[in-house]
Every structure is written in structure tokens, then in C-alpha cells.
Amino acid sequence: MKIDRLIGIITLLLRQDKVTAPELAERFEVSRRTINRDIEALCRAGIPLVTTQGYGGGISIAGEYKIDKSLLTEEELRLLISGLEGVGSVLNTPGFRQLAGKLSVKDQEISRKEIAIDLASHYQSPLNEKATVIRDAIRQKRLLSFQYYYEKGICRRKIEPYQLAFKWSSWYVWGWCLERENFRLFKLNRMEDVSWEPETFAARELPPEGPDGPMAEETILLQAWFNKGEAYRLIEEYGAGCYQESGGRLLFQRNFASYPYMRRWVLSFGQSVEVLEPEALRQELREIGEDFLKKYGGT
């Protein structure tokens, strides 16, 4: 796009002081004539560009025209590139190198990675496809339809998509669910057969907290003792200070919005947890233990 190219030329001149028309034509993959028209357009916009002929000549910004030439420091550029790579690991974005060129970042600078961000899952190809479909639906305000797997089975949902969000180590789409008539988060890894609907929608007023709002009004308090060796998992998932240590064990207390999720989470710890409440979960774990004894010949 022309506006992207114009911004790229300005950024390049701010960082390199002077550049030739052939270099610009090669960098932006256009003709010399197109570059000449771009220079004229920038001059008409009020940016005083100077063209000098002969050896050492080129295009530059007039010296008396005061612009802060440190719009982006090298450190800021490195952080920006790291972020772009992270998004590129999920969305099929072929313009990464082109954008880096507009920022005047050399390939060797990009290759010196101090920070690497990979937001894709082990199932990268399906995730790329779903994220791309959802992103395009958001941009075009198209209703999104998909099959969704959750604790009660499988359902078909249709939503107004508003945002792709990376939260709690997973990708979600946040939107207005037509069935529930409320905003909901849907995990991409649980979605299948994701497609646009022919209908478009008018964007509604969004809650100020966005996807960070409450996912459900129901709250269930879990109180449990964990073996000390599970401290790393508790800290990884809920942060330092999420438990109290006493007598060589860890007392964990937290509200959960979903009983099925809480049950699955507790079961994943096996014998390393003792539930104090809710009583319903204690009883269910007792019944699960009895079933194990029956299946494996316990006495």
C-alpha cells in the first residue's frame, strides 16, 4: 500500500540520513518512477526532502527540519520484533520481513534474538487456521459458527467475535454468544469446524473490562491440603502466596467458577491432595476411590 511505503521511506530517512532512489526502489520492490512520485507526495505533505546529484548524493531530509531521529531505539525495535514474531507464530502473517524493512531493521539484527516468543500450541497448523478465520471474521464483522467441546458434551455455537485473546497459556476468542445472550470466552483448542456465517452484525457496546471480566457468576470455594512437592504447580498456576505452609503441607484456598473444572484440576494431583471442602467434592472423590478399588481388586 502507498501509505505504508511512504511511512517506510520517512522511517528509513530518519535512521540513515541519506538514501538513493535505486535503493528505495529495490527495498520496496517498486519502480524508480514510483519512488519519484512518492518523494513528490511527501514534499507536498510538508516534509522538506532534498535530492542531491553526483557521487555521494541521494535523498535526505533538510537539516533545518527538526525531527527526533530516535523515534525507536534499537532496544525498542528488538522488543517490537519479538512481539511481531510472537503474533506471527499463531497468525499466518507473511509480511513480517517487509514490516521489519519498513522499520529499517537489518536481517542480522533480527537474527540476534535475546527474547523469543512462540505463542503457538503443539497443534500449530489447526491453531493457525482457526485464528486466521476468526481474525478475518472480527475485521469484517461476520458471525462466527463452530462446534464446541465442553464438560457437558458437544454443542454448536454462533457468536459475534470481538477479540482474539491469549490468556492463561491458551488462545481464546471473546464474543457475544447468541445462545447465552452474553459475552463469553471460547478456547480455540476446543473449537472445530470454525466458519463464517453469511450474516454480518452491528458492533454492540463492549464492557469496559473486556475479556478480563468475570466468566461466570457462580463461585465455589476449594479448601485443600497439598503435599509440599506440589508447590511448583500451585505457584505456576496461581502465583506465589496462593497457599500457606503448615506442618510440612500446603493449605490452598481459592474460589472456582466451574465445579467440573475444579474437579478435573484436583484429580490431576492424584494422591497429593486432600480436599477439605466443598463436601460434594469430598464425597465424589470418595466414590471415585471406591470404584478404583473395585476395578483393581482392592480389599
Side-chain angles (χ1 to χ4, degrees):
M1 295 176 60
K2 181 176 180 179
I3 186 63
D4 292 339
R5 195 169 60 248
L6 294 177
I7 293 173
I9 292 172
I10 294 172
T11 304
L12 193 63
L13 290 173
L14 286 173
R15 293 181 62 82
Q16 292 189 203
D17 290 333
K18 185 180 292 185
V19 66
T20 67
E23 288 173 343
L24 290 174
E26 181 179 359
R27 177 179 287 267
F28 295 101
E29 299 179 349
V30 294
S31 67
R32 286 276 302 277
R33 181 172 296 181
T34 297
I35 292 297
N36 291 336
R37 287 197 294 265
D38 289 342
I39 299 303
E40 292 176 2
L42 290 172
C43 290
R44 288 196 300 271
I47 299 176
L49 300 183
V50 177
T51 301
T52 56
Q53 304 295 326
Y55 180 77
I59 303 165
S60 60
I61 298 176
E64 67 275 9
Y65 190 69
K66 302 299 183 182
I67 299 180
D68 182 4
K69 297 196 176 186
S70 59
L71 293 178
L72 290 174
T73 66
E74 182 176 344
E75 176 64 18
E76 290 168 337
L77 284 171
R78 290 185 186 280
L79 292 174
L80 179 57
I81 295 302
S82 297
L84 290 171
E85 286 184 320
V87 174
S89 68
V90 176
L91 294 173
N92 292 320
T93 310
F96 165 68
R97 289 284 168 183
Q98 182 180 358
L99 180 54
K102 292 173 184 175
L103 294 171
S104 190
V105 180
K106 299 177 182 178
D107 286 348
Q108 56 265 35
E109 291 176 335
I110 297 171
S111 65
R112 284 185 272 144
K113 297 178 183 177
E114 299 166 349
I115 302 174
I117 301 174
D118 188 348
L119 301 179
S121 70
H122 293 294
Y123 311 100
Q124 182 167 356
S125 180
L127 179 63
N128 289 155
E129 295 170 3
K130 285 184 277 193
T132 300
V133 171
I134 294 169
R135 178 198 59 187
D136 293 342
I138 293 171
R139 290 177 175 178
Q140 299 182 31
K141 293 185 173 58
R142 300 279 291 272
L143 290 178
L144 196 69
S145 176
F146 52 89
Q147 183 171 278
Y148 197 65
Y149 294 82
Y150 69 126
E151 58 264 19
K152 295 182 180 179
I154 308 172
C155 63
R156 191 80 190 174
R157 291 293 176 91
K158 188 184 293 186
I159 68 170
E160 300 172 0
Y162 288 99
Q163 189 176 105
L164 271 169
F166 186 77
K167 302 169 67 68
W168 312 301
S169 302
S170 297
W171 280 96
Y172 295 80
V173 58
W174 179 64
W176 178 267
C177 178
L178 274 63
E179 179 181 342
R180 300 296 185 186
E181 296 186 342
N182 205 344
F183 287 98
R184 289 287 188 272
L185 277 169
F186 297 92
K187 185 178 285 189
L188 265 64
N189 281 344
R190 295 187 186 178
M191 297 167 60
E192 294 292 343
D193 190 22
V194 182
S195 61
W196 294 353
E197 291 292 318
E199 306 100 317
T200 59
F201 62 90
R204 63 183 69 238
E205 184 176 354
L206 304 180
E209 67 273 14
D212 294 322
M215 296 179 64
E217 295 183 1
E218 178 186 19
T219 56
I220 307 164
L221 176 64
L222 171 69
Q223 289 186 333
W225 287 107
F226 286 85
N227 290 354
K228 195 171 181 179
E230 301 298 336
Y232 77 97
R233 253 193 84 179
L234 297 178
I235 291 174
E236 178 183 344
E237 298 186 38
Y238 293 105
C242 67
Y243 60 79
Q244 296 176 342
E245 186 172 350
S246 177
R249 294 198 297 173
L250 312 175
L251 180 61
F252 178 84
Q253 301 181 78
R254 188 175 184 86
N255 287 315
F256 284 76
S258 166
Y259 180 86
Y261 174 78
M262 179 181 66
R263 180 186 58 199
R264 289 195 305 272
W265 185 74
V266 168
L267 284 170
S268 71
F269 287 89
Q271 297 182 359
S272 297
V273 59
E274 177 191 350
V275 173
L276 301 176
E277 57 177 282
E279 180 58 34
L281 182 56
R282 283 180 60 88
Q283 178 61 31
E284 190 169 355
L285 294 176
R286 196 177 295 121
E287 294 171 355
I288 291 173
E290 292 172 355
D291 287 341
F292 269 107
L293 287 174
K294 291 178 183 177
K295 287 180 181 178
Y296 297 102
T299 58

